[in-house]
Amino acid sequence: MAFLKRSPWILHYDASSCNGCDIEVLACLTPLYDVERFGIINTGNPKHADILMITGGINEQNREVVKNIYEQMPEPKVVVAIGVCAASGGIFRECYNIVGGVDKVIPVDVYVPGCAARPEMIIDGVVTALGILEEKREKMTGAAQTKESARRAAGEST
Ligand code: SF4
């Protein structure tokens, strides 16, 4: 199977943020920061998403939702945790219902620091995520080609 290069699709999920980081994510889509110049498309469907951007920490209510979103995304996929809440629970980490950062429930590839994370840092995180996504795509393509070569070799020898 070939993993075609195409515009990366991003899904943004607000776990339990104060909305400070969400406002900065929205700012990235405005003409001032114009994150779409990287060919990125915003999607609301996890089945179409390559990159999951999460703001806010994980709590008892959203932990299963976050896992579910992640599991619906096709491989290869990259997760970007935006802001200190997504990294560790941030200022809410001592709250009774907070589990912690996003990596308590799913693997995180990129951490964007800040409270709130600044648009420039978010864009930097997205660019890093694009590089990781490409690496993962190449690995999958290489693995698929190796498997196909082995299959053909086995077919030729029988
Ligand atoms: S990191 Fe700061 S701005 Fe972002 S969700 Fe947490 S408290 Fe709000």
Side-chain angles (χ1 to χ4, degrees):
M1 183 180 172
F3 302 98
L4 300 176
K5 285 188 183 179
R6 59 173 175 77
S7 295
W9 291 45
I10 285 190
L11 173 67
H12 169 218
Y13 178 71
D14 172 6
S16 62
S17 86
C18 72
N19 288 145
C21 285
D22 300 313
I23 290 168
E24 303 299 350
V25 168
L26 287 178
C28 293
L29 296 167
T30 62
L32 181 63
Y33 293 104
D34 192 21
V35 77
E36 289 179 345
R37 76 188 117 123
F38 299 109
I40 287 163
I41 297 170
N42 204 14
T43 180
N45 188 340
K47 290 176 183 162
H48 297 164
D50 306 295
I51 298 173
L52 175 60
M53 293 169 72
I54 304 192
T55 51
I58 300 300
N59 61 30
E60 295 297 346
Q61 276 198 317
N62 68 32
R63 64 191 304 167
E64 289 308 315
V65 177
V66 170
K67 263 196 237 175
N68 189 281
I69 290 172
Y70 181 77
E71 282 164 10
Q72 286 186 69
M73 291 172 65
E75 294 285 354
K77 52 193 167 189
V78 176
V79 176
V80 184
I82 298 173
V84 293
C85 289
S88 65
I91 59 168
F92 304 110
R93 68 184 177 280
E94 302 296 335
C95 291
Y96 71 96
N97 62 337
I98 290 288
V99 175
V102 175
D103 58 11
K104 291 280 184 195
V105 290
I106 58 172
V108 172
D109 300 278
V110 183
Y111 294 88
V112 176
C115 176
R118 299 291 305 137
E120 294 86 349
M121 296 299 289
I122 295 171
I123 291 171
D124 189 59
V126 169
V127 170
T128 304
L130 292 177
I132 295 171
L133 183 65
E134 202 48 48
E135 276 173 26
K136 288 187 178 184
R137 274 189 186 147
E138 280 169 13
K139 268 190 202 160
M140 286 180 75
T141 306
Q145 282 170 350
T146 305
K147 205 172 163 186
E148 179 64 16
S149 302
R151 193 187 64 77
R152 283 193 186 157
E156 281 167 11
S157 63
T158 54

